[in-house]
Amino acid sequence: MKKIIKDSAILFVITLIAGLLLGAVYKITKEPIAEQKDKQKLEAYNKVFDKMNSYELVENLDNAQKSVENMGSVTVNEVVKAYDSSKNELGYIITVTDNGGYGGDIRMTVGIDTDGRITGLEILEINETAGLGMKAKEEDFRKQFVGIKAESITYSKTGKSADNEIDAISAATITTKAVTRGVNGALEVYRVMGGAGNE
Protein backbone atom coordinates (compact mmCIF):
# COMPACT_ATOMS: atom_id res chain seq x y z
CA MET A 1 0.00 0.00 0.00
CA LYS A 2 2.82 2.39 0.95
CA LYS A 3 4.52 1.64 -2.39
CA ILE A 4 1.34 2.57 -4.31
CA ILE A 5 1.05 5.86 -2.39
CA LYS A 6 4.76 6.59 -2.96
CA ASP A 7 4.52 5.78 -6.68
CA SER A 8 1.38 7.93 -6.99
CA ALA A 9 3.09 10.84 -5.24
CA ILE A 10 6.13 10.57 -7.54
CA LEU A 11 3.89 10.43 -10.60
CA PHE A 12 1.93 13.45 -9.32
CA VAL A 13 5.14 15.47 -8.80
CA ILE A 14 6.46 14.54 -12.27
CA THR A 15 3.12 15.50 -13.87
CA LEU A 16 3.04 18.76 -11.92
CA ILE A 17 6.59 19.70 -12.97
CA ALA A 18 5.90 18.77 -16.60
CA GLY A 19 2.72 20.88 -16.55
CA LEU A 20 4.54 23.85 -15.05
CA LEU A 21 7.33 23.56 -17.64
CA LEU A 22 4.83 23.37 -20.50
CA GLY A 23 3.03 26.41 -19.12
CA ALA A 24 6.31 28.32 -18.89
CA VAL A 25 7.28 27.38 -22.46
CA TYR A 26 3.85 28.47 -23.72
CA LYS A 27 4.15 31.79 -21.88
CA ILE A 28 7.62 32.40 -23.32
CA THR A 29 6.68 31.48 -26.91
CA LYS A 30 3.14 32.93 -27.02
CA GLU A 31 4.19 36.52 -27.74
CA PRO A 32 6.87 35.74 -30.39
CA ILE A 33 4.40 33.45 -32.20
CA ALA A 34 1.73 36.18 -32.16
CA GLU A 35 4.27 38.74 -33.40
CA GLN A 36 5.32 36.42 -36.23
CA LYS A 37 1.67 35.92 -37.27
CA ASP A 38 1.09 39.69 -37.23
CA LYS A 39 4.21 40.22 -39.34
CA GLN A 40 3.06 37.56 -41.83
CA LYS A 41 -0.37 39.18 -41.97
CA LEU A 42 1.03 42.67 -42.64
CA GLU A 43 3.31 41.31 -45.36
CA ALA A 44 0.28 39.69 -47.01
CA TYR A 45 -1.71 42.93 -46.74
CA ASN A 46 1.07 44.87 -48.46
CA LYS A 47 1.32 42.27 -51.21
CA VAL A 48 -2.38 42.37 -52.05
CA PHE A 49 -2.47 46.21 -51.84
CA ASP A 50 0.99 47.57 -52.60
CA LYS A 51 -0.16 51.19 -52.09
CA MET A 52 -1.62 50.48 -48.65
CA ASN A 53 -0.42 52.85 -45.95
CA SER A 54 -2.87 52.02 -43.17
CA TYR A 55 -5.87 49.83 -42.47
CA GLU A 56 -8.94 49.69 -40.27
CA LEU A 57 -10.20 46.44 -38.78
CA VAL A 58 -13.87 45.62 -39.32
CA GLU A 59 -15.00 44.52 -35.86
CA ASN A 60 -18.36 42.84 -36.51
CA LEU A 61 -18.08 39.87 -38.87
CA ASP A 62 -21.57 38.41 -38.28
CA ASN A 63 -22.94 39.46 -41.69
CA ALA A 64 -19.70 38.50 -43.38
CA GLN A 65 -19.85 34.98 -41.92
CA LYS A 66 -23.54 34.62 -42.81
CA SER A 67 -22.74 35.55 -46.41
CA VAL A 68 -20.51 32.46 -46.83
CA GLU A 69 -22.66 29.95 -44.91
CA ASN A 70 -23.91 28.36 -48.14
CA MET A 71 -20.29 27.62 -49.09
CA GLY A 72 -20.00 25.18 -46.21
CA SER A 73 -16.24 25.02 -45.81
CA VAL A 74 -15.41 28.76 -45.81
CA THR A 75 -14.80 30.71 -42.61
CA VAL A 76 -14.20 34.46 -42.49
CA ASN A 77 -11.15 35.19 -40.31
CA GLU A 78 -10.68 38.93 -40.72
CA VAL A 79 -11.83 41.89 -42.79
CA VAL A 80 -10.00 45.21 -43.00
CA LYS A 81 -10.40 48.39 -45.02
CA ALA A 82 -7.19 49.47 -46.72
CA TYR A 83 -6.19 53.13 -47.13
CA ASP A 84 -3.44 54.92 -49.02
CA SER A 85 -1.17 57.62 -47.54
CA SER A 86 -3.85 60.29 -48.21
CA LYS A 87 -6.45 58.24 -46.31
CA ASN A 88 -8.30 57.37 -49.53
CA GLU A 89 -10.00 54.01 -49.34
CA LEU A 90 -8.34 51.42 -51.57
CA GLY A 91 -10.76 48.58 -50.88
CA TYR A 92 -10.99 45.58 -48.59
CA ILE A 93 -8.54 42.91 -47.52
CA ILE A 94 -10.40 39.76 -46.58
CA THR A 95 -8.83 36.74 -44.89
CA VAL A 96 -10.72 33.47 -45.14
CA THR A 97 -10.07 29.80 -44.46
CA ASP A 98 -11.40 26.98 -46.61
CA ASN A 99 -11.27 23.63 -44.82
CA GLY A 100 -11.85 21.65 -48.00
CA GLY A 101 -8.23 21.37 -49.14
CA TYR A 102 -6.72 17.96 -49.83
CA GLY A 103 -4.51 18.40 -46.76
CA GLY A 104 -7.00 20.35 -44.67
CA ASP A 105 -7.30 24.09 -44.07
CA ILE A 106 -6.11 26.65 -46.59
CA ARG A 107 -6.01 30.19 -45.18
CA MET A 108 -5.72 33.03 -47.67
CA THR A 109 -5.85 36.81 -47.90
CA VAL A 110 -7.62 38.45 -50.84
CA GLY A 111 -7.43 42.13 -51.79
CA ILE A 112 -10.44 43.64 -53.58
CA ASP A 113 -10.36 47.26 -54.70
CA THR A 114 -13.16 49.81 -54.65
CA ASP A 115 -14.22 48.72 -58.15
CA GLY A 116 -14.64 45.12 -57.03
CA ARG A 117 -11.50 43.96 -58.83
CA ILE A 118 -9.15 41.44 -57.19
CA THR A 119 -5.78 43.07 -56.50
CA GLY A 120 -3.98 40.10 -55.04
CA LEU A 121 -4.12 36.69 -53.40
CA GLU A 122 -1.72 35.46 -50.75
CA ILE A 123 -1.75 31.98 -49.24
CA LEU A 124 -1.06 32.20 -45.51
CA GLU A 125 -1.42 28.58 -44.44
CA ILE A 126 -1.50 25.46 -46.58
CA ASN A 127 -0.60 21.80 -46.11
CA GLU A 128 -1.16 20.26 -49.52
CA THR A 129 0.85 17.65 -51.41
CA ALA A 130 4.36 18.78 -52.37
CA GLY A 131 4.72 19.33 -56.11
CA LEU A 132 0.95 19.25 -56.61
CA GLY A 133 -1.39 21.19 -54.32
CA MET A 134 1.47 23.22 -52.88
CA LYS A 135 1.67 24.91 -56.29
CA ALA A 136 -1.21 27.06 -55.03
CA LYS A 137 1.44 29.14 -53.23
CA GLU A 138 3.30 29.79 -56.47
CA GLU A 139 2.91 33.18 -58.12
CA ASP A 140 1.97 31.70 -61.50
CA PHE A 141 -1.18 30.24 -59.96
CA ARG A 142 -2.06 33.14 -57.65
CA LYS A 143 -1.60 35.88 -60.24
CA GLN A 144 -4.39 34.37 -62.36
CA PHE A 145 -6.89 35.87 -59.90
CA VAL A 146 -5.43 39.39 -60.10
CA GLY A 147 -7.51 41.80 -62.16
CA ILE A 148 -10.64 39.65 -62.21
CA LYS A 149 -13.86 41.53 -61.58
CA ALA A 150 -16.70 39.03 -61.31
CA GLU A 151 -19.43 37.79 -59.01
CA SER A 152 -17.68 34.44 -58.82
CA ILE A 153 -14.67 32.66 -60.25
CA THR A 154 -14.59 29.21 -61.80
CA TYR A 155 -11.70 26.99 -62.82
CA SER A 156 -10.98 24.95 -65.91
CA LYS A 157 -8.93 21.79 -66.39
CA THR A 158 -8.74 22.36 -70.14
CA GLY A 159 -7.60 25.99 -70.34
CA LYS A 160 -9.12 29.31 -69.39
CA SER A 161 -11.90 30.38 -71.75
CA ALA A 162 -13.69 33.17 -69.82
CA ASP A 163 -12.75 36.33 -67.95
CA ASN A 164 -13.89 34.88 -64.62
CA GLU A 165 -12.01 31.61 -65.09
CA ILE A 166 -8.59 30.39 -63.97
CA ASP A 167 -6.54 27.36 -64.98
CA ALA A 168 -6.68 24.54 -62.42
CA ILE A 169 -3.48 23.18 -60.93
CA SER A 170 -2.71 19.99 -62.84
CA ALA A 171 -3.52 16.88 -60.74
CA ALA A 172 -4.63 19.08 -57.81
CA THR A 173 -8.31 19.75 -58.47
CA ILE A 174 -9.28 19.58 -54.80
CA THR A 175 -6.73 22.28 -53.92
CA THR A 176 -7.81 24.43 -56.87
CA LYS A 177 -11.44 24.08 -55.84
CA ALA A 178 -10.68 25.04 -52.21
CA VAL A 179 -8.69 28.16 -53.17
CA THR A 180 -11.30 29.22 -55.73
CA ARG A 181 -14.06 28.71 -53.18
CA GLY A 182 -12.12 30.79 -50.65
CA VAL A 183 -11.68 33.63 -53.14
CA ASN A 184 -15.39 33.44 -54.01
CA GLY A 185 -16.11 33.66 -50.30
CA ALA A 186 -14.01 36.83 -50.11
CA LEU A 187 -15.94 38.28 -53.08
CA GLU A 188 -19.21 37.52 -51.31
CA VAL A 189 -17.96 39.20 -48.13
CA TYR A 190 -16.92 42.24 -50.19
CA ARG A 191 -20.47 42.53 -51.55
CA VAL A 192 -21.96 42.25 -48.05
CA MET A 193 -19.56 44.90 -46.76
CA GLY A 194 -20.89 47.17 -49.51
CA GLY A 195 -17.57 47.82 -51.22
CA ALA A 196 -16.24 51.36 -51.17
CA GLY A 197 -17.86 53.87 -48.86
CA ASN A 198 -19.59 51.31 -46.65
CA GLU A 199 -19.35 52.35 -42.99
Side-chain angles (χ1 to χ4, degrees), residues 48-62:
V48 298
F49 268 120
D50 58 0
K51 293 184 174 110
M52 187 191 82
N53 180 264
S54 63
Y55 67 87
E56 174 190 350
L57 185 67
V58 175
E59 298 287 346
N60 188 341
L61 296 181
D62 290 348

Side-chain angles (χ1 to χ4, degrees), residues 85-143:
S85 56
S86 301
K87 299 294 181 192
N88 297 313
E89 187 179 330
L90 296 171
Y92 282 88
I93 300 172
I94 300 160
T95 302
V96 298
T97 299
D98 187 289
N99 66 15
Y102 187 78
D105 291 353
I106 301 175
R107 189 164 61 97
M108 63 202 88
T109 292
V110 184
I112 305 171
D113 69 17
T114 54
D115 293 327
R117 197 172 304 279
I118 295 172
T119 60
L121 167 65
E122 285 296 310
I123 305 293
L124 301 177
E125 287 179 18
I126 187 169
N127 190 29
E128 302 295 271
T129 307
L132 296 172
M134 287 303 284
K135 288 183 178 178
K137 284 193 81 165
E138 294 178 5
E139 188 178 354
D140 284 348
F141 175 72
R142 291 182 293 105
K143 72 181 181 184

